[in-house]
């Protein structure tokens, strides 16, 4: 049975209550168990690899994948697993950290616009301009009258990108507060994961409900036909990988790409000994 990505898509006008969406659920997956889920990924990886090569060869279209989540939500792991095997030429990850002084000296979209994909490219945003209505809002880094206007800016910015030829998909990895606790604890317990632990992550954790509310606003106000949000239940990593792969693959398939026509006369060329 086909995996219908529309089941995860936020339609314009939808009301979102994240507490109603079970983070351990596996919508559209009809396999038996985790083992079967894990086995499905390499097949998806191969399909994505072929589509990325086609996108690159055609060189006319571009894909932007935005990924947002709470801390330890699995952004890095998703990128690693979903894009496994894809030719790194033509795929780039842009990670948006706390803004530098230079970035703060400009409008919030300045650093973002310079990272969008060019023709033939896939760019993955690990965090994005959405931080400017998430952490910035909850941590009160700018006054409300400034961040409130940003929903409109963002919708217009993404519309411009889409009108000019960029396909955009936005993915929210939805984990539970308990799952976050386990993953943060794991970062403390395992020496090879210690580097990922940041005491600063405990701040946003203590404001969990405020962040969920901020995410709900983002999903309701900025999911458009041209730049839709998908809410992916993400406590189960194997399901998360399958769902995100399906979203990326089906989006690329909808682009109707073609390999560029070969140069004329190829059939007459003989490669010399
Ligand atoms: P991991 O989940 O593996 O820890 P990460 O995405 O959290 O990876 P970090 O370097 O740990 O990467 O954190 C980036 C930090 O930068 C986050 O706390 C995020 O909220 C913050 N940040 C990103 N953009 C902005 C922004 N525009 N204003 C303020 N803080 C921001
Ligand atoms: Mg972090």
């Amino acid at each position: 049975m086909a995996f219908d990505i529309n089941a995860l898509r936020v339609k314009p006008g939808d009301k979102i209550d994240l507490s109603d969406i079970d983070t351990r659920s596996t919508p559209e997956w009809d396999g038996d168990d985790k083992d079967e889920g894990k086995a499905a990924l390499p097949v998806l990886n191969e399909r994505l690899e072929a589509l990325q090569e086609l996108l690159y060869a055609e060189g006319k279209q571009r894909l932007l994948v935005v990924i947002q989540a709470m801390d330890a939500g699995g952004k890095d792991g998703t990128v690693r697993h979903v894009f496994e095997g894809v030719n790194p030429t033509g795929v780039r990850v842009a990670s948006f950290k706390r803004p530098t002084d230079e970035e703060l000296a400009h409008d919030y979209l300045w650093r973002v616009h310079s990272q969008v994909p060019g023709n033939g490219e896939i760019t993955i945003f690990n965090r994005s301009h959405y931080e400017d209505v998430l952490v910035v809002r909850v941590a009160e880094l700018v006054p409300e009258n400034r961040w409130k206007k940003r929903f409109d800016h963002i919708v217009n910015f993404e519309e411009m990108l889409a009108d000019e030829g960029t396909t955009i998909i936005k993915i929210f990895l939805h984990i539970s507060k308990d799952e976050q606790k386990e993953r943060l604890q794991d970062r403390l317990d395992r020496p090879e994961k210690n580097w990922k632990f940041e005491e600063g992550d405990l701040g946003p954790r203590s404001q969990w409900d405020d962040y969920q509310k901020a995410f709900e606003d983002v999903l309701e106000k900025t999911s458009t036909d041209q730049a839709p949000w998908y809410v992916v239940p993400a406590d189960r990593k194997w399901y998360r990988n399958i769902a995100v792969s399906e979203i990326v693959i089906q989006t690329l398939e909808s682009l109707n790409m073609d390999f560029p026509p070969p140069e004329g006369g190829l059939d007459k060329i003989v490669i010399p000994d």
Side-chain angles (χ1 to χ4, degrees):
M1 272 284 286
F3 188 116
D4 182 7
I5 60 172
N6 284 315
L8 303 177
R9 182 176 178 141
V10 179
K11 284 102 196 156
D14 278 359
K15 284 272 156 244
I16 304 294
D17 181 346
L18 284 174
S19 65
D20 273 352
I21 303 175
D22 181 359
T23 53
R24 293 188 66 76
S25 63
T26 59
E28 294 297 310
W29 169 253
D30 62 1
D32 273 348
D33 55 12
K34 178 176 171 175
D35 288 343
E36 215 175 301
K38 283 191 163 174
L41 188 60
V43 181
L44 294 169
N45 286 159
E46 274 188 32
R47 278 172 67 196
L48 181 55
E49 193 187 338
L51 284 160
Q52 187 270 331
E53 185 165 312
L54 182 55
L55 180 88
Y56 187 76
E58 187 196 55
K60 286 186 180 161
Q61 314 194 56
R62 32 201 198 255
L63 178 69
L64 173 60
V65 182
V66 172
I67 306 182
Q68 287 285 163
M70 294 294 287
D71 293 300
K75 302 185 305 307
D76 285 341
T78 301
V79 174
R80 212 168 47 243
H81 287 101
V82 169
F83 290 89
E84 179 154 359
V86 166
N87 183 349
T89 306
V91 178
R92 211 162 46 83
V93 180
S95 297
F96 294 94
K97 311 280 185 191
R98 273 171 216 95
T100 62
D101 286 345
E102 193 190 16
E103 288 167 349
L104 281 174
H106 294 78
D107 68 86
Y108 67 97
L109 290 175
W110 178 75
R111 67 171 180 164
V112 175
H113 198 175
S114 63
Q115 301 275 3
V116 299
N119 281 345
E121 287 177 353
I122 298 178
T123 300
I124 303 147
F125 278 5
N126 181 338
R127 300 186 189 268
S128 65
H129 43 299
Y130 285 97
E131 293 293 321
D132 295 283
V133 285
L134 289 164
V135 62
V136 165
R137 165 183 181 171
V138 178
E140 299 180 14
L141 302 180
V142 308
E144 178 169 348
N145 61 9
R146 260 179 72 198
W147 61 254
K148 273 213 151 156
K149 290 185 172 174
R150 293 180 174 177
F151 296 109
D152 283 343
H153 304 157
I154 288 173
V155 166
N156 289 329
F157 170 63
E158 291 175 355
E159 189 185 4
M160 182 279 289
L161 293 177
D163 286 346
E164 295 290 324
T166 304
T167 300
I168 305 172
I169 47 190
K170 303 181 295 200
I171 292 169
F172 172 56
L173 303 176
H174 184 30
I175 60 164
S176 67
K177 198 173 175 188
D178 286 346
E179 179 69 22
Q180 190 197 47
K181 182 173 186 186
E182 264 181 45
R183 293 186 188 179
L184 291 176
Q185 188 64 49
D186 194 52
R187 291 179 178 184
L188 280 180
D189 294 345
R190 289 170 54 188
E192 74 278 16
K193 291 245 179 144
N194 283 171
W195 66 276
K196 279 203 145 195
F197 187 83
E198 272 188 275
E199 217 175 333
D201 290 351
L202 299 180
R205 178 170 170 77
S206 71
Q207 293 170 296
W208 184 271
D209 292 344
D210 295 337
Y211 273 96
Q212 297 293 296
K213 167 80 180 84
F215 271 113
E216 286 169 353
D217 273 358
V218 161
L219 297 168
E220 286 179 5
K221 293 180 197 295
T222 66
S223 198
T224 61
D225 289 335
Q226 282 175 312
W229 275 104
Y230 294 86
V231 177
V232 174
D235 280 2
R236 296 176 200 260
K237 294 175 181 170
W238 62 266
Y239 172 77
R240 168 201 80 194
N241 294 337
I242 288 175
V244 175
S245 297
E246 289 280 4
I247 293 165
V248 175
I249 287 170
Q250 292 184 34
T251 302
L252 284 171
E253 282 173 346
S254 73
L255 297 184
N256 297 318
M257 299 179 288
D258 281 313
F259 283 108
E263 284 179 37
L266 280 191
D267 51 337
K268 296 188 188 63
I269 294 180
V270 178
I271 310 287
D273 290 334

